[in-house]
Amino acid sequence: METTKSILGPSKSYVSKTRIGVLAVSSMGMAALAITPSYAAIASNFSLSNTSVQMLTSLPNLFMMLAGLIIGKLTATKLNLKTLTLSAAILVIIGGFLPLAFHTNFMFLLFCSCLVGLGQGACTNLSQVLISQMLPETERQSTMGLTTTFTNLGGIVFIMGGGQLAATNGWVNNYWIYLFSALILIVILTLVPMHPAAVNAANDQDTGEQIKLNKYVFYCAFWGFCTLLLNNVLNNNISLFVAEEKLGATSQAALTSTVSLIGGMLCGLIVGVIGKRFKYSSITISFILYGLSYLLIGLGHSLWLAFVGSFIVGAAMSIAMGQFPYLISISVGKNSVSMALGVYVAIYSIGGVVSPFIVNPLTKLVAGMSINVFVVSGVIALILGVLCMGFQFQKKLVTAAQ
């Protein structure tokens, strides 16, 4: 009977429940951004510069990198995946709730943000590990694509919900949005299995082999680094751009960022289809979309074109970030997947940290030519797209995996 069940694979009920649980974990992927609507109020309260208050979201990126390495190592051991996932969610909840009680010291708020970043990074990594180890191979690509939808959906809840709470009675109330993390914790407790079913054939079972990371893991990490570097150009500059170009008010600038999340959420619904249809070129397509969207924003000088460009940026992010984990999962052995994903998360997270230190100096070099940061980023993205296509890294990876 056991053999028959192993051959048939897990039940539809198991697959459905596990998918929902894993996707709920991925919705924590933007938890650290929840406080961004209150930047101005916090800066005013503590007499901080914009750069200083932005540390509330930039510093957690470093802890996301640390979380990637830690979780990569821990999941390669015999520690239970559900226990690790619950621990990650609890870190986000603690980091989110503590400022409600203690909010008179900015350094303490930074500490709390780092806790959130650590938990967020762990959830980002674990959601992919859970998919690769708890779901059949036939479900993985589509589910990994959907993680980007749920990450963006969670981002909308955290950012818009936090903003609404802050608007009611001050910036401290912004932190009540972390009740959403508590809800996710309940979903994880209920739907993520403590003891996963055998999900595939013999070639998917634990072979006892040592962890081995091949060159394709680092290729994916490099292109992921480039993707996040480009993506953070929008997060770091769109509000300033809308104000400087007199395209709209602060509320419209915030809406532009939300449009990007909506683009990512909607595109995530079809990332699995895109991945199968363009299995050798989906990453190249994402860079080209980044390039075209940033040129549209930078050269369009229109709020509506900024909305369209932001939507496409979100779609490009979904395509890339929905594909990289899947490509990694098919490029290494089962015993190496968790560590490979940890290395990938650790490296690509650096892209978000260094983005302004790379893009801003390049923009200053051409400032005399009236070229803005979005035009510069668009050109960089198109160059990366051409390089990605020329090196054919995705085709080589898929072919090697087959």
Side-chain angles (χ1 to χ4, degrees):
M1 181 66 80
E2 288 292 328
T3 304
T4 304
K5 285 183 179 180
S6 178
I7 293 171
L8 292 175
S11 66
K12 289 183 179 180
S13 172
Y14 166 88
V15 172
S16 298
K17 288 172 61 178
T18 303
R19 285 186 83 185
I20 295 171
V22 171
L23 292 171
V25 176
S26 67
S27 68
M28 302 274 258
M30 292 189 182
L33 298 179
I35 197 61
T36 53
S38 296
Y39 267 178
I42 294 173
S44 175
N45 185 74
F46 292 101
S47 301
L48 300 169
S49 66
N50 289 341
T51 302
S52 297
V53 77
Q54 285 171 355
M55 288 178 68
L56 287 171
T57 49
S58 61
L59 199 57
N61 276 317
L62 294 177
F63 282 80
M64 283 181 63
M65 177 184 70
L66 179 63
L69 294 174
I70 293 173
I71 294 299
K73 187 67 176 177
L74 291 178
T75 52
T77 67
K78 298 299 181 182
L79 288 176
N80 186 274
L81 287 177
K82 182 171 183 175
T83 302
L84 286 174
T85 308
L86 291 171
S87 301
I90 289 170
L91 276 176
V92 175
I93 294 169
I94 292 173
F97 280 177
L98 280 177
L100 290 169
F102 309 101
H103 46 260
T104 57
N105 186 299
F106 180 70
M107 293 305 295
F108 183 74
L109 295 183
L110 271 181
F111 168 75
C112 292
S113 291
C114 291
L115 285 181
V116 173
L118 194 62
Q120 173 184 314
C123 285
T124 299
N125 182 261
L126 283 164
S127 65
Q128 307 298 339
V129 176
L130 292 171
I131 292 169
S132 66
Q133 297 197 18
M134 291 188 174
L135 291 175
E137 188 173 352
T138 53
E139 301 287 339
R140 290 177 196 167
Q141 187 171 21
S142 60
T143 307
M144 285 179 176
L146 283 173
T147 59
T148 60
T149 289
F150 278 77
T151 298
N152 283 285
L153 182 60
I156 292 171
V157 173
F158 278 117
I159 296 170
M160 294 190 69
Q164 288 299 312
L165 288 167
T168 59
N169 195 24
W171 63 267
V172 176
N173 277 352
N174 198 147
Y175 285 97
W176 279 111
I177 194 58
Y178 285 102
L179 282 170
F180 179 63
S181 301
L183 176 63
I184 298 302
L185 180 68
I186 295 171
V187 175
I188 296 169
L189 274 168
T190 307
L191 298 181
V192 175
M194 181 67 76
H195 303 290
V199 294
N200 239 4
N203 63 347
D204 200 40
Q205 302 305 311
D206 192 329
T207 61
E209 293 179 356
Q210 290 186 339
I211 296 173
K212 294 180 181 178
L213 304 184
N214 57 39
K215 61 184 179 181
Y216 295 113
V217 173
F218 296 96
Y219 289 166
C220 286
F222 168 75
W223 291 113
F225 168 93
C226 295
T227 300
L228 200 60
L229 184 150
L230 287 170
N231 198 76
N232 271 27
V233 170
L234 185 79
N235 299 332
N236 294 335
N237 296 283
I238 191 62
S239 294
L240 292 171
F241 181 77
V242 170
E244 289 172 358
E245 296 291 321
K246 296 180 173 56
L247 302 181
T250 304
S251 59
Q252 291 167 313
L255 181 59
T256 309
S257 298
T258 304
V259 167
S260 174
L261 296 175
I262 294 172
M265 180 183 69
L266 295 178
C267 186
L269 297 172
I270 58 170
V271 163
V273 176
I274 294 172
K276 291 174 182 176
R277 177 66 180 82
F278 302 99
K279 64 179 181 178
Y280 298 145
S281 58
S282 56
I283 306 302
T284 297
I285 289 171
S286 72
F287 283 120
I288 291 173
L289 288 176
Y290 270 119
L292 296 177
S293 60
Y294 280 153
L295 289 176
L296 187 66
I297 295 171
L299 298 175
H301 300 289
S302 158
L303 183 63
W304 285 107
L305 290 179
F307 283 155
V308 173
S310 295
F311 185 92
I312 299 172
V313 167
M317 176 71 162
S318 267
I319 292 171
M321 291 310 184
Q323 284 294 291
F324 285 127
Y326 171 73
L327 292 172
I328 289 172
S329 74
I330 65 172
S331 68
V332 297
K334 182 185 175 185
N335 289 356
S336 303
V337 169
S338 58
M339 191 62 195
L341 288 170
V343 170
Y344 158 74
V345 171
I347 293 175
Y348 92 67
S349 299
I350 301 172
V353 178
V354 304
S355 178
F357 302 105
I358 293 176
V359 177
N360 291 352
L362 290 174
T363 304
K364 286 182 180 179
L365 286 176
V366 294
M369 301 167 63
S370 299
I371 296 176
N372 58 55
V373 66
F374 288 106
V375 174
V376 170
S377 302
V379 172
I380 293 172
L382 291 177
I383 291 172
L384 287 171
V386 171
L387 291 174
C388 189
M389 180 172 58
F391 288 128
Q392 295 187 316
F393 108 92
Q394 194 172 350
K395 182 176 182 179
K396 291 175 182 176
L397 186 156
V398 174
T399 303
Q402 291 172 342

